[in-house]
């Protein structure tokens, strides 16, 4: 048996018995008690200052009540507390929106911070693999701030040095379930900082009835539904092209008919035209009277209508050359929206090769040159594969409704969209829950947003035709 030896002396020993353990005791440095007290005192003061800086109201309230209790007694402190609580309740009853914005959501954010996120932060970071251990020391991402609104919690996080956004986006399921949310979205705020969004409820769970037809003619952003945060969803159609992809029954028709509904006053005023291509004869045929004769269902007629749109575009470009760089709708030069339902019937599934090539060439020409002269394209399809729609990258704005496969999300919205929370393959197939729900990625914003389009029923379409079809 060997004696217990300190430090490195054990490594000079030679044992003839391989299974005999050499036990050594490392040198111990004894720290004076005064230094220990100073370190802990400094940590306490730092934590106190940091807490006061981050939560001034939460610190001021008990301090103020304690001061009143000390100088005037506990009845005065209790009366003051009761007066403040009753005043806040009266404010909440008289102006609930302002109270929620200035007080309610702040209190909710503090409660969620203390009861959910700070309580479970270390465990979730460790289990999900976002915390790192280097030489026995644990490095933890830092929770900076929690804010709340009516539907979600938003957490600002400082990543560890060397981490990437993909390290977090690959673990959105771990983060969502770890903090008791249904989903999680990751967005980059600035270098080293992320914004994690955890929805608390779903404002898009219930279907929306058709929105009222606008009173004033406009081709500007059209209100067609609602965003996940409760704000109106306004879709830009003038000066862009829109691609809509979704499985059967996902609600593509809602986006098409909401767009038509929003443009009706402009069509009646002569500032806009909709040229409809309906190879399935099932969707746009309900309102063919609205399109003023610019409706086609036969593949040959569709190709002719597209060639006519290209001709209009080229004539405008020749007249605008050197005079103007953007289009302003007028009666002489109205905004033309080419609406194509199930574009794959014309570009991929059409057996006539010549018609297929004509259609693909015309769509590509419109998508590359049309928006600056007031000719836009809105195309809907079910299968977003490249061999089905090889010009999908020419559409600046993209909408993904319910899709069958996770890979299709990035096909429609672009690489990395699903990692940032666009879970279009998780949208419910039940019409009441998922029809019209989509993720939208606009040219002006790389982050996908969750939206729901209003449902335009057959009765609504017949009413539109009865009123605006006669005027057309």
């Amino acid at each position: 048996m060997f004696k217990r030896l300190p430090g490195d002396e054990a490594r000079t020993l030679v044992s003839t018995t391989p299974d005999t353990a050499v036990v050594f005791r490392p040198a111990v440095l004894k720290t004076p008690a005064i230094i220990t007290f100073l370190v802990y005192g400094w940590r306490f003061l730092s934590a106190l200052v940091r807490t006061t800086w981050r939560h001034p109201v939460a610190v001021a309230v008990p301090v103020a009540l304690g001061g009143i209790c000390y100088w005037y007694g506990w009845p005065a402190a209790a009366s003051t507390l009761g007066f403040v609580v009753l005043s806040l309740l009266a404010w909440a009853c008289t102006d609930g929106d302002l109270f929620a914005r200035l007080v309610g959501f702040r209190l909710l954010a503090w409660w969620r911070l203390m009861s959910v996120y700070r309580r479970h932060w270390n465990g979730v970071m460790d289990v999900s693999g976002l915390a790192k251990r280097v030489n026995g020391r644990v490095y933890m991402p830092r929770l900076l701030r929690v804010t709340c609104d009516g539907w979600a919690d938003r957490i600002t996080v400082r990543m560890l040095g060397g981490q990437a956004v993909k390290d977090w986006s690959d673990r959105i399921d771990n983060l969502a379930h770890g903090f008791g949310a249904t989903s999680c979205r990751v967005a980059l705020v600035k270098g080293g900082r992320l914004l994690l969004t955890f929805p608390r409820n779903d404002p898009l769970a219930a279907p929306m009835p058709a929105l009222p037809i606008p009173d004033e003619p406009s081709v500007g952003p059209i209100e067609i539904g609602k965003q996940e945060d409760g704000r109106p969803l306004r879709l830009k159609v003038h000066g862009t092209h829109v691609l809509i992809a979704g499985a059967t029954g996902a609600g593509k028709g809602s986006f098409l008919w909401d767009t038509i509904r929003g443009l009706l006053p402009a069509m009646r005023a002569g500032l806009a035209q909709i040229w409809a291509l309906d190879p399935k004869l099932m969707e746009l045929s309900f309102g063919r009277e609205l399109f003023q004769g610019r409706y086609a269902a036969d593949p040959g007629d569709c190709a002719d209508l597209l060639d006519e749109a290209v001709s209009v575009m080229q004539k405008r470009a020749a007249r605008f050359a050197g005079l103007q760089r953007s289009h302003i709708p007028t009666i002489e030069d109205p905004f033309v929206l080419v609406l194509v339902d199930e574009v794959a019937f014309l570009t991929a599934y059409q057996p006539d090769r010549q018609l297929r090539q004509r259609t693909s060439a015309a769509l590509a020409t419109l998508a590359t040159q049309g928006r600056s002269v007031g000719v836009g394209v809105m195309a809907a399809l079910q299968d977003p594969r490249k061999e089905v729609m090889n010009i999908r990258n020419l559409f600046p704005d993209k909408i993904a409704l319910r899709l069958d496969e996770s890979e299709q999300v990035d096909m429609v919205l672009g690489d990395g969209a699903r990692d940032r929370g666009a879970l279009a393959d998780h949208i419910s197939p039940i019409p009441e829950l998922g029809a019209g729900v989509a993720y939208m990625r606009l040219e002006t914003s790389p982050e996908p947003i969750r939206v729901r389009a209003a449902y335009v029923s057959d009765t609504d379409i017949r009413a539109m035709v009865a009123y605006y079809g006669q005027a057309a």
Side-chain angles (χ1 to χ4, degrees):
M1 296 295 291
F2 292 95
K3 296 191 303 179
R4 294 180 180 272
L5 299 175
D8 294 337
E9 294 183 18
R11 69 183 181 182
T12 62
L13 299 177
V14 178
S15 174
T16 58
T17 308
D19 58 347
T20 302
V22 178
V23 181
F24 65 94
R25 182 172 52 201
V28 177
L29 177 64
K30 295 183 179 181
T31 304
I34 185 62
I35 296 179
T36 302
F37 286 131
L38 289 176
V39 170
Y40 279 101
W42 172 255
R43 291 181 179 178
F44 174 77
L45 291 176
S46 300
L48 182 62
V49 172
R50 187 166 56 250
T51 302
T52 305
W53 173 261
R54 292 181 178 178
H55 311 287
V57 177
V59 173
V61 169
V63 170
L65 291 177
I68 294 175
C69 183
Y70 178 79
W71 293 104
Y72 302 102
W74 69 267
S79 300
T80 303
L81 179 61
F83 175 76
V84 171
V85 171
L86 290 176
S87 300
L88 292 176
L89 290 176
W91 183 13
C93 293
T94 55
D95 193 349
D97 293 338
L98 183 62
F99 174 82
R101 188 167 61 252
L102 298 181
V103 179
F105 289 143
R106 295 174 185 265
L107 291 175
L108 178 61
W110 177 81
W111 173 254
R112 297 283 292 175
L113 170 65
M114 303 304 296
S115 64
V116 178
Y117 298 109
R118 184 163 291 173
R119 177 184 177 187
H120 301 291
W121 185 257
N122 291 351
V124 174
M125 292 298 105
D126 195 7
V127 173
S128 63
L130 293 170
K132 303 298 179 182
R133 287 178 172 82
V134 180
N135 296 329
R137 183 175 180 180
V138 179
Y139 293 86
M140 195 73 61
R142 187 174 175 185
L143 174 60
L144 298 179
R145 185 185 180 190
V146 175
T147 58
C148 294
D149 56 20
W151 71 279
D153 300 336
R154 292 178 173 86
I155 302 176
T156 305
V157 179
R158 178 178 294 168
M159 295 187 293
L160 296 177
Q163 282 187 333
V165 179
K166 186 170 176 40
D167 296 330
W168 291 73
S169 60
D170 288 343
R171 296 170 173 84
I172 56 176
D173 290 338
N174 305 71
L175 295 172
H177 296 301
F179 293 117
T182 56
S183 63
C184 171
R185 291 166 209 172
V186 180
L188 181 64
V189 178
K190 63 179 183 178
R193 294 196 179 189
L194 296 178
L195 182 66
L196 307 180
T197 303
F198 296 97
R200 294 193 310 273
N201 54 63
D202 188 6
L204 307 180
M208 296 177 55
L211 298 174
I213 298 175
D215 296 327
E216 299 296 328
S218 173
V219 298
I222 302 167
E223 184 175 350
I224 65 171
K226 185 168 61 175
Q227 301 183 41
E228 190 173 30
D229 57 5
R231 294 182 299 174
L233 169 62
R234 293 183 172 88
L235 180 64
K236 178 182 177 182
V237 292
H238 180 240
T240 187
H241 306 298
V242 182
L243 178 65
I244 305 171
T248 301
K252 296 186 292 296
S254 297
F255 284 89
L256 299 179
W257 281 109
D258 281 320
T259 302
I260 296 171
R261 193 175 178 85
L263 288 176
L264 283 177
M267 295 168 63
R268 190 174 191 181
L271 300 178
Q273 297 176 358
I274 293 182
W275 297 20
L277 283 70
D278 187 22
K280 288 197 307 182
L281 277 172
M282 291 302 297
E283 189 67 51
L284 302 178
S285 60
F286 274 83
R288 67 179 67 188
E289 292 86 356
L290 298 172
F291 307 128
Q292 304 175 5
R294 297 179 179 88
Y295 171 87
D298 181 77
D301 295 338
C302 290
D304 293 339
L305 195 60
L306 287 174
D307 289 338
E308 185 180 350
V310 171
S311 177
V312 170
M313 178 201 71
Q314 292 173 342
K315 290 178 181 178
R316 285 189 185 180
R319 286 190 289 110
F320 291 173
L323 298 177
Q324 63 185 70
R325 298 175 57 189
S326 59
H327 175 258
I328 299 175
T330 61
I331 296 178
E332 293 76 17
D333 292 311
F335 166 58
V336 176
L337 178 62
V338 179
L339 209 61
V340 188
D341 181 40
E342 197 47 63
V343 66
F345 278 134
L346 303 175
T347 60
Y349 306 144
Q350 172 56 238
D352 190 324
R353 181 179 179 183
Q354 184 178 3
L355 282 179
R356 186 169 65 248
Q357 291 177 345
R358 281 180 58 195
T359 302
S360 299
L363 284 173
T365 304
L366 292 173
T368 54
Q369 305 173 29
R371 63 176 181 167
S372 61
V373 295
V375 180
V377 179
M378 175 180 283
L381 77 163
Q382 296 182 22
D383 190 347
R385 290 177 299 169
K386 198 74 172 180
E387 55 268 26
V388 174
M389 185 65 171
N390 58 4
I391 61 170
R392 65 189 185 200
N393 291 334
L394 299 180
F395 291 81
D397 297 336
K398 304 175 180 67
I399 300 172
L401 292 102
R402 177 174 55 83
L403 296 171
D404 294 328
E405 301 173 2
S406 58
E407 294 81 4
Q408 294 179 347
V409 179
D410 288 350
M411 292 180 188
V412 178
L413 302 180
D415 291 340
R418 193 181 188 280
D419 291 339
R420 286 191 286 272
L423 305 178
D425 55 309
H426 288 181
I427 297 176
S428 175
I430 302 174
E432 291 77 11
L433 299 178
V437 177
Y439 290 89
M440 178 184 297
R441 188 173 185 179
L442 305 178
E443 182 183 20
T444 55
S445 175
E447 298 300 328
I449 57 175
R450 187 167 175 264
V451 300
R452 185 164 195 171
Y455 174 63
V456 182
S457 66
D458 293 350
T459 303
D460 296 322
I461 297 174
R462 293 189 183 97
M464 292 160 54
V465 171
Y467 185 75
Y468 287 92
Q470 296 176 358

